[in-house]
Structures are given as structure tokens and as C-alpha cells.
């Protein structure tokens, strides 16, 4: 297998919250038609999309071993010794070998982001992915925030409620083995519940691995009941800090609710696995030990791994990328994490260790451009102004480091 090939180009469907599609969740490319207009799964026929010239060219490039610009995130993860979506997918679908650029629509992986409805305003998010940020921006029109926020060019609010969407998705549910749901916040969207119920009704839930990416602040008894019906459930918890850090980054998180939700989910059943996915960024690099300790403590209580910590690195938005922090500060943050891992970490996997190794490499590199911290401060200060927050109070150590670049 070459270093470009990814099975998801033949077996996967990934939507963005606006109904457009990407080859996968970390791809930088949109699936477009011949006039460069993004397809929409709520409007366009799936067979047309999946055998479009875009997909044919993508598959040909992969089969020929060409490096693809939109796949750079996977290439970077592999460069630093981390698991990538490409490698994970190739392992999951290793029994399938594709050699043609056309597809028979053997869809087995669905990644659904049904709209941007969300109750939080995470600082690394955007109006495209959060209705709360969208509302905040409408209430506080600002050219500074406009500069940094990712927006959608497609204005089809209810694309996932169309007959075309149902016709595109429903015929393939009986073939699905992995369903990934995120948003927005997926536990707020009724259509997600409808799809889960349909999988249960047709008995496909018996073979489906369900992956839910959630902010853990919306408790829903019906949601919990549905989870019990699936072969395997992975709850990917979007948690980047605890207490005030959580409230600040994923505003306005009440961490007491998050804590209760974790404890509730730990009792739901043996088919449910909790996986924490903190996004390592400027705002939490020096706070990660607190978060890791909080999560690992659950493992100590159960005397086994009940929470698998799988950190990721922020790539977008660029102004939150920790690589731009001063090298000495990054090294000091890494050393604290390393000492915690050596002295207090007992239940984490090799994936966690590999991520920390990759973090070391990034922390020991010189900042490629410390002037990028001006962008961070411009964006972050504006949000503080709107939300009545104060970085110097929540994270004084970071504030003292970055304020000199104002």
C-alpha cells in the first residue's frame, strides 16, 4: 500500500454542517462539481457525487501514490509518529482493495454533521459549526472576528430534512459498519436520533460501531437508551480543560455538568467506551496536566482504563496553533506533561505516548513566526470583550507570555 492511498475515498461519506462534502473529516478539500461548486448531499444525487470527476481524480491520484494537498493533516500526523485518519481507515477496511476510480457505492462509513446547532461557543470553532457563535456574531458584528471565522457559502439550513438526503442515506444504512456523528452538538439534533432508531429497527445496530463527538453538556435520557442498542459505542468527549479553563475555552461550559455526564456514562453499559479528545492549543498547553490528572483519576478509581485520552493538535484556526508560542515556554509546558506521564500515568495507551512524543518534537522546534501571536491576541481579546471574560484571570501564566506580543 502506498503512502497516499486511503480506503475512505471508496467507502466513506463525510458531510460538513452546511451539507457540503469532504473526502474525510480532516481533509482540506471540498467535493466539487466540474464548475468548482460544492456538492450538497441534501440536494444532489449521491451516485452523481460519488462518481464525479472530483472523486475519480482523487482516487486516481491515490492509486498512483501522488501526495494530495487536502490530505496534509494525515501526512503530518504520520510524520510525527501519530495515528492518522488514513492509517486508521486502511486498517479498518483492510479486507477491501480498490483498484478502480469509479465506485459501486459500497458505503460503509458515514460521518454526519447535521447542521451547526450547538449550545457552546468554543474559541477554536466557527459560525459554520456552531449556531451559538453564529448568533453571537449577528448580535456583535465585528470586522475583527470576520477576519478569523470560517463561514459557509451554502445557505441551505435544513438540507438534512430533504427527501433527497433521505434517498441518499437510507439505502446504505444496511451496509454501514461505522457511523460517526458530530456537529454542532449531535445530541441536540432530532435527525440524528431518527437515524440511530432506523439502524436499530433494521437490526444494523448489532454490527455498527457508533462514534459520537459530544461536548458532554447536554444530558438526554433517550440518547442514553439508544446507545445501549449498538454493538460498540465510542463517546469522544470534547474536553480541553477543567473548571475555569473549560468554561473559558468551550464557553460557557459548566464543568459540573460535564463531570456528572462522565459519571453517568461510565455506568451505562460495557458496550460504551469513553475517549477524551483534548485539542492541544495555545489556550491549554500549560493546563494539560490538570486535565490529564482529572481524567486519569477515573481510571485509578476503576483500576482499569475507563477513559482513553487521545489528544489532538489544533491545525485550524491557525491563530490558536501552539507552535507559534515561544520555544522556551513550549519546552517548559512539555516538561510538566512528561513528568506527569512518567510519574502519574498508568492506564493510557501507546497512542497517548506517541502523541506526547510528537508534542515534544513540536515544542522543541523554534516558533515559525511569533508575530502570529498578534492574531491570537486580536481574536481572543475581542471575544473576551464580548463575553466578559479575562485571559489574565483564567490563565495568568499564558497571559504574561503572550501579552508582550500585543
Amino acid at each position: 500500500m502506498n503512502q497516499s492511498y486511503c480506503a475512505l475515498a471508496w467507502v466513506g461519506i463525510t458531510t460538513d454542517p452546511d451539507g457540503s462534502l469532504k473526502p474525510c473529516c480532516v481533509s482540506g478539500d471540498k467535493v466539487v462539481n466540474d464548475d468548482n461548486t460544492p456538492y450538497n448531499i441534501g440536494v444532489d444525487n449521491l451516485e452523481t457525487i460519488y462518481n464525479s470527476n472530483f472523486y475519480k481524480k482523487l482516487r486516481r491520484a491515490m492509486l498512483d501514490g501522488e501526495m494530495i494537498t487536502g490530505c496534509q493533516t494525515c501526512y503530518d500526523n504520520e510524520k510525527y509518529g501519530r495515528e492518522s485518519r488514513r492509517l486508521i481507515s486502511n486498517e479498518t477496511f483492510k479486507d477491501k482493495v480498490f483498484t478502480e476510480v469509479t465506485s459501486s457505492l459500497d458505503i460503509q462509513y458515514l460521518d454526519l454533521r447535521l447542521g451547526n446547532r450547538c449550545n457552546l461557543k468554543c474559541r477554536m470553532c466557527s459560525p459554520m459549526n456552531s449556531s451559538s457563535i453564529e448568533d453571537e456574531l449577528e448580535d456583535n458584528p465585528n470586522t475583527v472576528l470576520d477576519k478569523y471565522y470560517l463561514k459557509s457559502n451554502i445557505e441551505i439550513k435544513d438540507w438534512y430534512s430533504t427527501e433527497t438526503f433521505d434517498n441518499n442515506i437510507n439505502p446504505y444504512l444496511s451496509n454501514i459498519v461505522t457511523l460517526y456523528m458530530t456537529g454542532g452538538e449531535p445530541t441536540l439534533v432530532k435527525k440524528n436520533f431518527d437515524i440511530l432508531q432506523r439502524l436499530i429497527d433494521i437490526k444494523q445496530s448489532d454490527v455498527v460501531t457508533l462514534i459520537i463527538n459530544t461536548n458532554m453538556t447536554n444530558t438526554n435520557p433517550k440518547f442514553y437508551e439508544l446507545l445501549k442498542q449498538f454493538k460498540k459505542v465510542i463517546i469522544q468527549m470534547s474536553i480541553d480543560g477543567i473548571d475555569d479553563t473549560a468554561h473559558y475555552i468551550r464557553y460557557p461550559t459548566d464543568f459540573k455538568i460535564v463531570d456528572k455526564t462522565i459519571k453517568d456514562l461510565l455506568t451505562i453499559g460495557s458496550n460504551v467506551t469513553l475517549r477524551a479528545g483534548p485539542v492541544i492549543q495555545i489556550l491549554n498547553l500549560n493546563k494539560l496536566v490538570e486535565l490529564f490528572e482529572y481524567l486519569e483519576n477515573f481510571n485509578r478509581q476503576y483500576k482499569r482504563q475507563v477513559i482513553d485520552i487521545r489528544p489532538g493538535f489544533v491545525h485550524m484556526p491557525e491563530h490558536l496553533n501552539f507552535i507559534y508560542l515561544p520555544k522556551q515556554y513550549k519546552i517548559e509546558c512539555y516538561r510538566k506533561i512528561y513528568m506527569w506521564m512518567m510519574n502519574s500515568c498508568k492506564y493510557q495507551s501507546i497512542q497517548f505516548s506517541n502523541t506526547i512524543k510528537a508534542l515534544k518534537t513540536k515544542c522543541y522546534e523554534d516558533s515559525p513566526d511569533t508575530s502570529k501571536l498578534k492574531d491570537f491576541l486580536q481574536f481572543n481579546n475581542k471575544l473576551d470583550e464580548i463575553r466578559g471574560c479575562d485571559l489574565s484571570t483564567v490563565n495568568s501564566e499564558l497571559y504574561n507570555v503572550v501579552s508582550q506580543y500585543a
Side-chain angles (χ1 to χ4, degrees):
M1 200 71 68
N2 66 52
Q3 299 302 305
S4 175
Y5 176 90
C6 179
L8 280 185
W10 284 266
V11 302
I13 292 291
T14 297
T15 73
D16 261 342
D18 58 4
S20 60
L21 300 97
K22 300 194 296 186
C24 84
C25 62
V26 297
S27 173
D29 293 331
K30 289 282 190 181
V31 180
V32 295
N33 61 26
D34 290 345
D35 67 4
N36 212 39
T37 302
Y39 283 107
N40 189 292
I41 198 169
V43 177
D44 301 302
N45 177 268
L46 183 58
E47 185 170 0
T48 300
I49 297 170
Y50 222 51
N51 281 302
S52 62
N53 286 330
F54 175 91
Y55 262 113
K56 290 177 181 177
K57 291 177 182 177
L58 175 69
R59 294 174 186 133
R60 172 48 59 200
M62 287 183 173
L63 292 172
D64 291 344
E66 297 177 14
M67 295 292 102
I68 297 160
T69 303
C71 299
Q72 193 60 47
T73 296
C74 281
Y75 303 154
D76 288 344
N77 282 336
E78 293 163 18
K79 171 185 174 182
Y80 287 103
R82 297 186 66 230
E83 274 191 323
S84 68
R85 172 54 53 195
R86 187 184 78 87
L87 294 179
I88 293 170
S89 299
N90 287 345
E91 175 63 25
T92 301
F93 302 105
K94 61 184 177 182
D95 60 325
K96 295 184 174 295
V97 179
F98 299 98
T99 59
E100 303 294 329
V101 298
T102 56
S103 170
S104 60
L105 275 74
D106 183 20
I107 308 299
Q108 296 193 39
Y109 179 94
L110 271 182
D111 180 337
L112 299 179
R113 297 143 199 266
L114 303 186
N116 70 342
R117 186 181 179 192
C118 187
N119 57 327
L120 299 185
K121 310 171 188 177
C122 304
R123 291 189 179 238
M124 54 286 193
C125 198
S126 69
M128 180 177 176
N129 294 282
S130 170
S131 57
S132 293
I133 295 178
E134 188 175 38
D135 292 342
E136 181 178 66
L137 197 58
E138 289 180 1
D139 294 338
N140 302 274
N142 191 278
T143 55
V144 171
L145 297 182
D146 284 340
K147 175 182 175 182
Y148 296 106
Y149 272 140
L150 175 67
K151 297 180 181 178
S152 170
N153 294 320
I154 300 176
E155 295 295 337
I156 306 171
K157 294 293 184 182
D158 298 320
W159 56 269
Y160 52 86
S161 298
T162 66
E163 183 178 356
T164 300
F165 175 80
D166 289 339
N167 291 338
N168 280 335
I169 296 299
N170 288 343
Y172 303 101
L173 292 182
S174 60
N175 196 48
I176 295 301
V177 295
T178 303
L179 173 60
Y180 179 84
M181 287 180 165
T182 183
E185 170 53 40
T187 63
L188 294 173
V189 181
K190 181 181 180 299
K191 187 71 170 184
N192 283 325
F193 289 77
D194 295 341
I195 293 172
L196 295 181
Q197 187 61 58
R198 182 172 177 82
L199 286 167
I200 293 170
D201 292 342
I202 64 175
K203 309 299 183 184
Q204 190 67 12
S205 58
D206 295 341
V207 300
V208 166
T209 294
L210 174 63
I211 306 171
I212 303 286
N213 198 330
T214 172
N215 61 39
M216 304 292 284
T217 64
N218 179 51
T219 56
N220 190 317
K222 181 181 179 182
F223 174 65
Y224 293 163
E225 288 302 311
L226 290 173
L227 297 184
K228 297 176 182 179
Q229 308 301 313
F230 285 79
K231 173 189 174 183
K232 183 179 181 180
V233 179
I234 300 173
I235 302 294
Q236 295 196 159
M237 305 182 294
S238 297
I239 304 176
D240 300 306
I242 64 173
D243 301 326
D244 289 347
T245 302
H247 178 81
Y248 186 83
I249 296 178
R250 293 189 177 269
Y251 183 82
T253 293
D254 182 343
F255 198 72
K256 291 179 182 178
I257 295 176
V258 174
D259 182 68
K260 182 180 184 304
T261 303
I262 292 175
K263 291 171 180 174
D264 288 344
L265 285 171
L266 284 172
T267 65
I268 200 171
S270 59
N271 68 318
V272 178
T273 299
L274 299 190
R275 182 180 293 171
V279 180
I280 301 177
Q281 56 185 284
I282 286 177
L283 288 166
N284 68 357
L285 185 62
N286 69 326
K287 296 285 188 176
L288 290 173
V289 169
E290 297 174 9
L291 174 61
F292 293 164
E293 178 66 16
Y294 165 80
L295 296 169
E296 185 75 349
N297 198 44
F298 285 103
N299 297 328
R300 297 185 192 116
Q301 292 172 25
Y302 281 81
K303 295 183 172 58
R304 60 185 176 89
Q305 188 193 70
V306 293
I307 296 181
D308 181 8
I309 307 176
R310 298 284 187 96
F313 301 139
V314 70
H315 296 283
M316 296 293 292
E318 191 177 20
H319 57 267
L320 286 176
N321 196 325
F322 69 89
I323 65 171
Y324 297 114
L325 288 165
K327 180 179 179 179
Q328 189 56 42
Y329 175 81
K330 290 186 293 184
I331 291 174
E332 291 170 1
C333 291
Y334 166 76
R335 285 174 176 168
K336 288 192 293 185
I337 295 167
Y338 177 77
M339 291 306 298
W340 177 86
M341 187 173 70
M342 291 296 99
N343 298 324
S344 304
C345 179
K346 179 180 179 181
Y347 295 97
Q348 294 308 313
S349 66
I350 187 65
Q351 286 86 357
F352 178 81
S353 298
N354 286 342
T355 298
I356 301 306
K357 289 178 182 177
L359 177 65
K360 177 183 179 180
T361 301
K362 288 177 175 287
C363 286
Y364 275 78
E365 292 174 347
D366 290 326
S367 170
D369 184 4
T370 53
S371 69
K372 292 285 187 181
L373 295 177
K374 292 181 180 179
D375 292 336
F376 162 75
L377 286 166
Q378 185 180 47
F379 174 81
N380 206 63
N381 290 346
K382 181 53 65 175
L383 282 189
D384 279 357
E385 178 185 324
I386 292 172
R387 298 174 182 178
C389 297
D390 185 356
L391 178 62
S392 66
T393 300
V394 175
N395 193 335
S396 59
E397 180 185 20
L398 173 64
Y399 175 80
N400 290 334
V401 168
V402 298
S403 59
Q404 62 184 298
Y405 296 96

